[in-house]
Structure formats: structure tokens, C-alpha cells
């Protein structure tokens, strides 16, 4: 017979210190949820899974005209800020755009070489993609362009099968095709509302991966800093160091002196900019100043004839179309899809993380799914205009933020500056030494090594620290993609472990209160004689019911062994399930069997 919803029952409970107290308990009947059809349940579940932000809510109760306006603003965020754009914002964006352009030009050339692509492609990638993002992106601070990690991954993965020197045209075609697939994956994640996939790259994974990649990128620049001509194509720590010390006869003291000078200069200006954000312009302009000074030195002293290698002639003009270079068939299709997926996920993770960071600082919201669509379409358009993978870089975005950017128009200013460079200034880079580009890359990636964050992970979670270490050593000793795969695999294994081995704890009473807490965490908590109170702190489903059955049985056996000497027997088993978010059919069967 079911109890009366408001009936009162009196129960005697023995206190931990002896004696009994009478507790009056009011029993309330659990009401079943309102009946819903299967279609309604499925629709509600899909809505909560794919549309937790309810993007259509803004259209409710609006006129047809207003709905069209809101729809256009949702697809093109530029329509949100452009109608209210002011002269004050224009001045701020001009300053910010010119500032990040001074950083983007030398970085674009450097990162293209890191990807084993012609230097001019790096400048192309700093022209078209920023314009596309300014129209489709929702971040006010994100500065778009090539980034070091994506450049390294693309260059290393494609060069495994195709030589960038012997088959330069094919390598360029594969790079553009990989960029197209990267953009396709990114846009698809946003359109299908599958952004949670990038969450599998945990903070612990990214910190270890970024630090390892920064080491590999820096080691690769030893070729330029030492003037070595014949350098290994492998990315691992051992092959690189072996190549360095086996080619000492190729070391150029002129190159080493120039590289050391500019590396110290760039690192010094970076330190000033980090310690004093108001002096951001020093670190932002240092790369361009280094390029100008080194180019003048090489030109004045004819240093290219004395062991210092230079970029050479760069093609003038704007981005040539490259849609005819996209190859969706042939023996390399698997390679470009794999490369596009990995570079797309990595660059997308970095771009969204940077956008959210500065949005939190300036107290505005960034829609992650819209950002995925914007970055994806930006790369798809870029692949057709001689660009490779681009995203929002932290260093460039930090300079953009500190320079006072108000809207995404600063990206357009940067693109116009790069356009002028492409049209009129390319001959000036003919004598730019490669050693300076190597110093610029090292200065840019050294900030990716975040030792305080790794130490914080060590203090909080040792397993996460293991993931960080595996990602770090996997990247520097095996390869970039294998190191990332190992770290992601360990992170997924941790999630599966938490699902299949949920935490169960014994609760005890805090004397003088009706509060029950973990007896192993709270020293004052004591067990109630005759009662075993267990808290299950995870969903109960088919993956963990067997474990829970065995673990609870062991709790019961342990209790009986401990209490047998006290002549106290177990009378009640109480399961505290407030932390259980869901129970499936296997979980229901488990509870019935346990009873």
C-alpha cells in the first residue's frame, strides 16, 4: 500500500554517542512527470544536446521585418556593429590595424617557411582571411593570420609523403587542399552544433602539446640561426640535435652573430611588452624593425656573399586564384583529409580559446558555433585564393587588444596594409636574411611554454599532469601528430575510467547537525550505528552497474567486519543519489537486484 502523501511516521534512530532519539519524518510521494510522446521526448533531448543556447529565442515575438534583420545580423555579425560605427572607433581600429600589420608581415613570411611553403603564401594568408573574418566573426579582438603550430603540423605531415623542394607544385596543391578540408571540418562543426568535439583537447593536453611543439619549432630554427645548409627533414628532438652536431662544418659565424643579436633583441622587447602592457608597441614593432635593420645590413655589406642566406625574390601582386589547384582525387586524398582534420581542429581550438579569453576581459559574449563557421568559411575561401590554414593567434590578438581595437575592422586595416605591401613593397624583402625570420619564430613560440600552468596541473590532478607530460614528450621524441594522439587517447581513457569506475564514498553524520559528509574527508563525521550510507557520485548506466554491485557488496562486507567486534549489525543500506544525473535501464535493474 502506498503511503499517504502527507502522513507522518515516527522512527527511532540510535545516536552515534549512544541513546536513541525519535525522529518525525514526513513522507512525500514522488510525482511522475507529465506524459509526453516519444517524438516530444526526442525533440527535447536533441534541443538540449545541440541547442543549449536556444539561438531562435531572439526571434520570438518579433515582427517579420525584425526577424529578417536579426537573421542577417546572426549570419553576418558585421551588421551588428557597422551601423553604429563611430569616428572614435575608426581611429582606434586604424592604430590597432597598423600595429598588428607590423607584426603580421614578418610573422606571415616566417610561418610560411615553417610550413615549407613559399614565403609569399604567408602574406597572402594575411590578406584575404582577415577580410572574411571581419564580416563573419563575432570577436572584437581576434587578429587573424597564420600561426606557428598549424604551420608546423601542416609542413611536417605533408612532407612525409611529398618533398616541398623536389615536388614544390604538388606540395603547394596539397597544402591548399588540406586548407579547404580544414575549413570544411571547422564550418561543419559549427553548422551541426558539434563544437563539443574540440573539448576533447583538454587544457592538460594543450599545455603539453603546445610546449612540445614550441620546442620542436625552436629546434627547427637552428638551421637558420647556425647557417646550416643540409638539415634533417625529421621533427624529433634526437634527429634535429644529431643533424646540428654532425654539420658543424656548415656553421657560419656571421650568421650566428647576427642571429644571436636579433634573438636577444626580440626576446628583450617581448619581455618589456609582457611586463608592461602599455608598452605593447615595443614588442609589436620589434619584428618589423628587425627585418628592416637586418635587410639594410645585408644590402649594405653584401652579406649574402659571405655565408648569410636571404629570402630572395618574392612575387609582386595580390593573391592569384588557386581553386584550380585543389585536388579531391588521387593517391594523396587520404593525406590531405587527415592533415586538414588535424590542423583544422588545432587551429580552431586555438582561435576559439583566444576569442573567449579576450571576450571575458572586455565583458562581451562570443558564440562558439558562429566562430567555427566564420573560421571555417575563412579557410575555405582562403584555399581558393592561395592561402593556407589561418586562425586567431594569441600574440597577435593580444597586441590588437592592447592597441585599443574596438571592432573587427582592425583586421580589415591589417589586410589593406598587407595588400599595399604585396603590390609595392615586395622587392624590399629580397635581402631579408633567413636568420632573422628564425629569430622571429622562436620569439613568437617561446610564450607557448607555460610552466606555471603545468605546475598548477601537477598540484590539482596528477593524472592530468601525466597527460601533459605524455603530450610533451610524445611531440618532441616521436612526432607532432602522434604526441597529440597519445594525449587525446589518455584524456578519453580518463573519461571512460570515470564513467566505468564512479566514485562511491561512505557518509557519516556531523555531530549536532543533520548534515552527512564523507568520513574520509571530514574528520568529525561519524557513522550511524546500524546504517551504511553510501553516496554514488556519477550517472548509473550499463558501463558501471557491475562495478557498483561489486563495490557496494565490498562496502557491506567491510562494515560487517568492522562492526562485528562492537556487537552491532547492519540494518539499513542507504544510497545517497543526489549526484546521480541519469539512470538507464541497466541502472534500474541494478537497483532492483541490489534491493
Amino acid at each position: 500500500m502506498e503511503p499517504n502523501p502527507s502522513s507522518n511516521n515516527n522512527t527511532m534512530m540510535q545516536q552515534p554517542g549512544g541513546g536513541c532519539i525519535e525522529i518525525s519524518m514526513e513522507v512525500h510521494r514522488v510525482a511522475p512527470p507529465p506524459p509526453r510522446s516519444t517524438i516530444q521526448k526526442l525533440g527535447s533531448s536533441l534541443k538540449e544536446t545541440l541547442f543549449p543556447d536556444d539561438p531562435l529565442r531572439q526571434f520570438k515575438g518579433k515582427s517579420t521585418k525584425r526577424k529578417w534583420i536579426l537573421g542577417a545580423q546572426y549570419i553576418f555579425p558585421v551588421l551588428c556593429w557597422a551601423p553604429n560605427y563611430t569616428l572614435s572607433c575608426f581611429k582606434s581600429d586604424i592604430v590597432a590595424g597598423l600595429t598588428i600589420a607590423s607584426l603580421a608581415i614578418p610573422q606571415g613570411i616566417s610561418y610560411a617557411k615553417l610550413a615549407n611553403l613559399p614565403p609569399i603564401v604567408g602574406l597572402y594568408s594575411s590578406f584575404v582571411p582577415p577580410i572574411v573574418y571581419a564580416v563573419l566573426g563575432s570577436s572584437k579582438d581576434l587578429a587573424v593570420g597564420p600561426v606557428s603550430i598549424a604551420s608546423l603540423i601542416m609542413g611536417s605531415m605533408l612532407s612525409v609523403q611529398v618533398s616541398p623542394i623536389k615536388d614544390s607544385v604538388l606540395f603547394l596543391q596539397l597544402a591548399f587542399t588540406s586548407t579547404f578540408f580544414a575549413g570544411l571540418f571547422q564550418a561543419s562543426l559549427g553548422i551541426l552544433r558539434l563544437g563539443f568535439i574540440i573539448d576533447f583537447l583538454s587544457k592538460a593536453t594543450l599545455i603539453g602539446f603546445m610546449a612540445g611543439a614550441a620546442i620542436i619549432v625552436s629546434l627547427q630554427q637552428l638551421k637558420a640561426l647556425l647557417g646550416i645548409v643540409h638539415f634533417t627533414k625529421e621533427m624529433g628532438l634526437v634527429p634535429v640535435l644529431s643533424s646540428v652536431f654532425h654539420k658543424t662544418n656548415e656553421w657560419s659565424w656571421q650568421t650566428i652573430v647576427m642571429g644571436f643579436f636579433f634573438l636577444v633583441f626580440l626576446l628583450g622587447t617581448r619581455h618589456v611588452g609582457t611586463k608592461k602592457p602599455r608598452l605593447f608597441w615595443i614588442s609589436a614593432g620589434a619584428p618589423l624593425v628587425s627585418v628592416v635593420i637586418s635587410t639594410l645590413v645585408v644590402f649594405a655589406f653584401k652579406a649574402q656573399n659571405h655565408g648569410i642566406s636571404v629570402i630572395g625574390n618574392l612575387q609582386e601582386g595580390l593573391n592569384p586564384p588557386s581553386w584550380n589547384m585543389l585536388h579531391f582525387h588521387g593517391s594523396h586524398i587520404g593525406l590531405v583529409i587527415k592533415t586538414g582534420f588535424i590542423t583544422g581542429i588545432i587551429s580552431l581550438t586555438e582561435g576559439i580559446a583566444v576569442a573567449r579569453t579576450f571576450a571575458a576581459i572586455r565583458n562581451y559574449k562570443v558564440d562558439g558555433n558562429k566562430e567555427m563557421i566564420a573560421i571555417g568559411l575563412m579557410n575555405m575561401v582562403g584555399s581558393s585564393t592561395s592561402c593556407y590554414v589561418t586562425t586567431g593567434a594569441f600574440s597577435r590578438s593580444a597586441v590588437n587588444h592592447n592597441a585599443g581595437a574596438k571592432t573587427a575592422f582592425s583586421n580589415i586595416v591589417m589586410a589593406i596594409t598587407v595588400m599595399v605591401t604585396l603590390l609595392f613593397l615586395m622587392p624590399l624583402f629580397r635581402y631579408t636574411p633567413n636568420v632573422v625570420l628564425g629569430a622571429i619564430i622562436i620569439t613568437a613560440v617561446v610564450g607557448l611554454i607555460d610552466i606555471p600552468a603545468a605546475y598548477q596541473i601537477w598540484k590539482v590532478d596528477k593524472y592530468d599532469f601525466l597527460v601533459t607530460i605524455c603530450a610533451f614528450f610524445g611531440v618532441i621524441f616521436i612526432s607532432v601528430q602522434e604526441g597529440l594522439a597519445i594525449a587525446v587517447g589518455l584524456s578519453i581513457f580518463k573519461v571512460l575510467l570515470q564513467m566505468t569506475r564512479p566514485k562511491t564514498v561512505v557518509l557519516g553524520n556531523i555531530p549536532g547537525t543533520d548534515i552527512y559528509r564523507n568520513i574520509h574527508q571530514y574528520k568529525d563525521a561519524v557513522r550511524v550505528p546500524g546504517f551504511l550510507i553510501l553516496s554514488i557520485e556519477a550517472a548509473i548506466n550499463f558501463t558501471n552497474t557491475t562495478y557498483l554491485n561489486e563495490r557496494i557488496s565490498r562496502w557491506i562486507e567491510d562494515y560487517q567486519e568492522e562492526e562485528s567486534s562492537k556487537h552491532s549489525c547492519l540494518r539499513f543500506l542507504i544510497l545517497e543519489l543526489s549526484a546521480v544525473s541519469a539512470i538507464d535501464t541497466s541502472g534500474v535493474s541494478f537497483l532492483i537486484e541490489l534491493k
Side-chain angles (χ1 to χ4, degrees):
M1 183 175 68
E2 293 182 350
N4 190 309
S6 60
S7 63
N8 292 329
N9 295 332
N10 294 330
T11 302
M12 300 298 294
M13 178 176 287
Q14 187 175 358
Q15 288 183 305
C20 296
I21 58 174
E22 182 176 350
I23 301 177
S24 177
M25 296 189 300
E26 188 171 347
V27 179
H28 292 273
R29 185 175 176 180
V30 178
R36 292 187 301 170
S37 66
T38 303
I39 295 179
Q40 289 176 325
K41 293 178 181 179
L42 181 61
S44 176
S45 178
L46 287 176
K47 180 181 178 181
E48 291 300 319
T49 301
L50 301 178
F51 304 97
D53 54 343
D54 193 10
L56 300 179
R57 180 174 54 186
Q58 59 178 327
F59 297 97
K60 295 179 179 178
K62 306 294 183 180
S63 62
T64 303
K65 179 181 178 180
R66 184 58 182 167
K67 288 180 179 179
W68 278 104
I69 295 175
L70 291 175
Q73 290 177 341
Y74 184 83
I75 299 174
F76 304 103
V78 64
L79 299 178
C80 295
W81 55 265
N84 302 316
Y85 200 65
T86 62
L87 181 61
S88 175
C89 292
F90 178 73
K91 293 178 180 178
S92 299
D93 288 339
I94 287 288
V95 173
L98 293 175
T99 304
I100 58 177
S102 67
L103 182 63
I105 292 172
Q107 280 190 350
I109 297 174
S110 304
Y111 291 158
K113 291 181 68 65
L114 185 61
N116 297 322
L117 295 171
I120 192 68
V121 176
L123 291 181
Y124 290 159
S125 303
S126 299
F127 172 46
V128 174
I131 296 176
V132 178
Y133 182 81
V135 176
L136 300 176
S138 58
S139 173
K140 302 175 183 178
D141 300 279
L142 202 66
V144 170
V147 292
S148 58
I149 302 301
S151 301
L152 171 68
I153 295 175
M154 175 171 285
S156 62
M157 292 185 67
L158 294 180
S159 60
V160 171
Q161 295 188 19
V162 179
S163 172
I165 299 176
K166 297 179 180 179
D167 299 314
S168 58
V169 176
L170 176 60
F171 190 90
L172 196 60
Q173 292 172 342
L174 298 183
F176 293 153
T177 309
S178 298
T179 300
F180 176 84
F181 279 110
L184 182 63
F185 287 132
Q186 293 167 337
S188 299
L189 290 178
I191 294 172
L192 300 176
R193 317 287 290 188
L194 298 177
F196 62 85
I197 290 178
I198 66 173
D199 293 333
F200 282 103
L201 294 177
S202 64
K203 181 179 180 181
T205 300
L206 289 175
I207 288 175
F209 171 76
M210 292 293 188
I215 297 293
I216 292 298
V217 169
S218 300
L219 289 175
Q220 285 289 316
Q221 304 320 303
L222 291 177
K223 174 184 178 181
L225 292 176
L226 300 176
I228 299 175
V229 178
H230 302 92
F231 199 70
T232 179
K233 300 300 180 183
E234 298 183 44
M235 292 289 175
L237 175 67
V238 176
V240 170
L241 292 181
S242 176
S243 179
V244 168
F245 290 107
H246 280 86
K247 301 292 183 181
T248 53
N249 59 313
E250 296 186 4
W251 291 14
S252 168
W253 69 266
Q254 299 95 330
T255 302
I256 294 174
V257 171
M258 177 177 282
F260 178 78
F261 172 78
F262 283 106
L263 184 60
V264 171
F265 170 70
L266 289 167
L267 290 175
T269 56
R270 181 185 180 279
H271 180 74
V272 172
T274 302
K275 294 297 181 181
K276 297 182 179 181
R278 292 184 178 181
L279 300 178
F280 67 91
W281 52 272
I282 295 179
S283 60
L288 187 59
V289 170
S290 299
V291 168
V292 172
I293 294 176
S294 63
T295 302
L296 291 176
V297 169
V298 170
F299 178 77
F301 294 97
K302 306 297 181 182
Q304 72 273 19
N305 299 325
H306 300 282
I308 295 181
S309 65
V310 296
I311 294 178
N313 293 323
L314 295 178
Q315 179 183 347
E316 292 183 80
L318 299 181
N319 304 34
S322 58
W323 55 73
N324 59 325
M325 299 182 70
L326 301 180
H327 282 207
F328 303 111
H329 54 80
S331 59
H332 299 295
I333 187 64
L335 174 64
V336 295
I337 291 176
K338 179 182 176 182
T339 304
F341 178 76
I342 295 179
T343 55
I345 293 296
I346 292 295
S347 59
L348 188 63
T349 303
E350 181 177 0
I352 292 181
V354 172
R356 287 174 174 170
T357 298
F358 289 104
I361 294 175
R362 293 182 57 180
N363 195 29
Y364 67 89
K365 291 184 178 181
V366 169
D367 188 327
N369 288 294
K370 289 168 66 176
E371 286 296 291
M372 293 177 195
I373 296 173
I375 294 175
L377 292 178
M378 173 182 76
N379 281 315
M380 292 177 70
V381 173
S383 68
S384 301
T385 53
S386 301
C387 304
Y388 76 107
V389 174
T390 54
T391 188
F394 185 83
S395 59
R396 207 173 301 135
S397 300
V399 170
N400 193 35
H401 171 78
N402 292 328
K406 302 299 181 182
T407 68
F409 185 73
S410 60
N411 278 286
I412 297 179
V413 175
M414 177 185 70
I416 294 174
T417 307
V418 173
M419 179 186 71
V420 173
T421 303
L422 288 169
L423 290 174
F424 307 109
L425 305 180
M426 295 314 298
L428 300 180
F429 292 97
R430 177 182 179 182
Y431 295 100
T432 300
N434 288 314
V435 62
V436 171
L437 301 182
I440 291 172
I441 291 176
I442 292 176
T443 307
V445 301
V446 71
L448 299 176
I449 304 175
D450 196 344
I451 296 178
Y455 178 66
Q456 179 66 21
I457 291 175
W458 163 260
K459 292 196 300 183
V460 174
D461 191 327
K462 300 300 186 290
Y463 188 96
D464 272 355
F465 184 75
L466 174 64
V467 172
T468 301
I469 291 298
C470 287
F472 177 76
F473 286 111
V475 169
I476 65 175
F477 283 110
I478 307 176
S479 71
V480 174
Q481 53 268 34
E482 271 78 9
L484 180 62
I486 291 172
V488 172
L490 285 173
S491 298
I492 295 175
F493 177 74
K494 179 186 178 182
V495 173
L496 294 175
L497 199 63
Q498 291 173 338
M499 290 174 56
T500 58
R501 296 294 184 268
K503 185 178 180 181
T504 56
V505 298
V506 179
L507 302 183
N509 177 250
I510 305 294
T513 71
D514 58 355
I515 298 174
Y516 292 82
R517 291 294 181 265
N518 185 355
I519 62 173
H520 297 294
Q521 185 175 357
Y522 291 81
K523 295 181 179 180
D524 295 336
V526 293
R527 291 181 174 180
V528 179
F531 286 79
L532 177 57
I533 308 175
L534 299 178
S535 175
I536 301 176
E537 301 181 352
I540 302 176
N541 53 51
F542 68 96
T543 64
N544 55 34
T545 52
T546 301
Y547 168 79
L548 286 174
N549 204 343
E550 296 172 352
R551 189 66 186 94
I552 292 174
S553 297
R554 187 152 64 89
W555 280 123
I556 294 173
E557 293 172 1
D558 292 343
Y559 182 93
Q560 291 174 338
E561 291 177 1
E562 293 175 7
E563 298 297 327
S564 60
S565 59
K566 302 178 184 178
H567 305 289
S568 175
C569 62
L570 179 61
R571 297 175 57 205
F572 297 100
L573 169 65
I574 298 178
L575 297 182
E576 202 282 309
L577 304 180
S578 60
V580 176
S581 58
I583 301 178
D584 67 0
T585 53
S586 298
V588 174
S589 300
F590 152 72
L591 292 176
I592 295 174
E593 293 171 4
L594 182 65
K595 180 175 181 296

